[in-house]
DNA sequence: TTGTGTTTTACGACCTCC
DNA sequence: GGAGGTCGTAAAACACAA
């Protein structure tokens, strides 16, 4: 199989055999310890063919130069055509199969990194959306309070006008409110927002625990205001 | 020095494309 | 059918705290 082919190929006697050696290791920023696991080499892991007769370890780290060359090539093009692979392998003293494997792993790392970045970005947007929702719900509470006070004032004025015998036709704004019958606020749902004592507007919230106190539930992503918020962040 | 967590190298299985 | 891709995983190499 391929395992035997890999270690029977030319790269075995190339300079990077010294990569894990003392000189190379000491040239790196942090000294690298060598740990021998020779005892395990003979252990039957069912992975026969690890040794190429000479007791060579199964894996060898690539040298910095080899990794650098591979990195440069990867930046140019993430896919690897046959010609490029063979050329790169010859140039770096590697087996073409090693180059292919390195590119596969490098693509996987790249993808993983991209996913991490994407996750962080989405989390940031999520937190911002939660904060925005909290602001909106607190604003709603304030508006409801004002509405209640206004309705109370209207009732008071009406009763005062009624006691003076006037048949109220001057209550324009008051009528408008009154026309709503059971008050518009009755159709509002305050949701689950609990007003935080120290919360009085934007810029007051920082840590997530405050967010959690403010908005104990995380549903409602279909809310159009949240969609707007996401679009503000350029996420959709 | 050692135990443990992370990174790197390598492989097999499976899929797609030519 | 072969070459090269992704995905999942094993294991060596390595870093580092205790």
């Amino acid at each position: 199989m391929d395992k035997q082919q890999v270690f029977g190929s030319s790269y075995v006697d190339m300079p990077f055999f010294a990569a894990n050696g003392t000189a190379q290791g000491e040239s790196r920023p942090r000294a690298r310890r060598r740990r021998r696991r020779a005892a395990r080499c003979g252990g039957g892991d069912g992975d026969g063919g690890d040794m190429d007769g000479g007791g060579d370890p199964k894996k060898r780290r690539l040298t910095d130069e080899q990794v650098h060359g591979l990195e440069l090539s990867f930046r140019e093009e993430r896919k690897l055509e046959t010609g490029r692979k063979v050329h790169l392998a010859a140039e770096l003293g590697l087996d073409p199969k090693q180059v292919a494997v390195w590119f596969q792993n490098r693509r996987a790392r790249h993808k993983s990194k991209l996913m991490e970045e994407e996750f962080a970005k989405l989390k940031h947007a999520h937190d911002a959306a939660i904060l925005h929702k909290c602001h909106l719900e607190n604003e709603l509470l304030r508006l409801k309070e004002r509405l209640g006070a206004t309705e109370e004032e209207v009732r008071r004025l009406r009763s005062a006008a009624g006691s003076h015998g006037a048949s109220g036709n001057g209550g324009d704004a008051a009528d408008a409110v009154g026309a709503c019958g059971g008050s518009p606020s009755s159709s509002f749902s305050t949701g689950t927002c609990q007003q935080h004592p120290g919360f009085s507007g934007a810029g007051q919230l920082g840590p997530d625990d405050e967010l959690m106190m403010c908005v104990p539930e995380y549903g409602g992503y279909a809310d159009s205001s949240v969609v707007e918020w996401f679009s503000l962040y350029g996420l959709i």
Side-chain angles (χ1 to χ4, degrees):
Chain A
M1 300 270 276
D2 286 331
K3 287 181 180 177
Q4 283 85 354
Q5 291 169 5
V6 166
F7 291 100
S9 54
S10 61
Y11 81 93
V12 171
D13 56 4
M14 294 309 289
F16 91 91
F17 244 146
N20 293 327
T22 309
Q24 171 93 18
E26 286 175 354
S27 70
R28 296 187 175 189
R30 286 185 285 194
R32 292 187 171 179
R33 285 187 298 114
R34 299 296 309 274
R35 294 184 64 185
R36 300 285 180 188
R37 297 192 182 187
R40 299 189 63 171
C41 291
D45 279 26
D47 209 7
D50 290 349
M51 303 303 165
D52 195 20
D56 294 329
K58 185 178 179 181
K59 294 171 187 174
R60 298 266 178 197
R61 295 259 164 159
L62 306 185
T63 64
D64 289 347
E65 291 75 17
Q66 286 168 329
V67 171
H68 181 66
L70 289 165
E71 279 288 349
L72 287 178
S73 184
F74 182 79
R75 281 176 206 164
E76 276 182 26
E77 174 63 54
R78 288 174 196 158
K79 303 285 181 178
L80 192 62
E81 321 83 62
T82 307
R84 187 156 147 261
K85 177 176 69 179
V86 171
H87 180 259
L88 200 53
E91 192 175 311
L92 298 173
L94 291 168
D95 188 279
K97 166 97 180 181
Q98 274 186 300
V99 175
V101 166
W102 189 91
F103 265 73
Q104 285 163 15
N105 290 320
R106 186 65 181 82
R107 278 192 297 269
R109 285 195 291 273
H110 181 69
K111 183 178 180 180
S112 174
K113 186 184 171 191
L114 286 182
M115 289 182 76
E116 269 183 29
E117 288 172 359
E118 186 67 14
F119 175 80
K121 200 170 154 187
L122 288 171
K123 187 177 184 306
H124 177 70
H126 170 266
D127 291 346
I130 295 298
L131 180 61
H132 184 57
K133 180 171 180 271
C134 187
H135 288 172
L136 291 173
E137 289 184 349
N138 279 286
E139 180 65 17
L140 177 61
L141 285 176
R142 279 195 293 275
L143 289 171
K144 284 184 71 178
E145 283 172 8
R146 284 179 56 190
L147 180 60
T150 303
E151 286 176 340
E152 182 60 31
E153 178 69 5
V154 166
R155 274 193 294 274
R156 193 182 62 77
L157 290 172
R158 275 185 170 167
S159 64
S163 69
H164 284 87
S167 60
N169 61 349
D172 35 54
D175 281 345
V177 174
C180 294
S183 119
S185 64
S186 62
S187 66
F188 287 169
S189 167
T190 57
T192 55
C193 183
Q194 298 170 355
Q195 196 147 17
H196 190 265
F199 181 76
S200 61
Q204 296 276 339
L205 290 181
D208 286 342
D209 53 353
E210 285 195 314
L211 281 175
M212 294 301 288
M213 288 179 70
C214 189
V215 184
E217 72 167 89
Y218 280 68
Y221 280 94
D223 190 317
S224 61
S225 64
V226 174
V227 172
E228 283 177 20
W229 194 250
F230 270 75
S231 61
L232 268 178
Y233 272 76
L235 292 168
I236 55 176

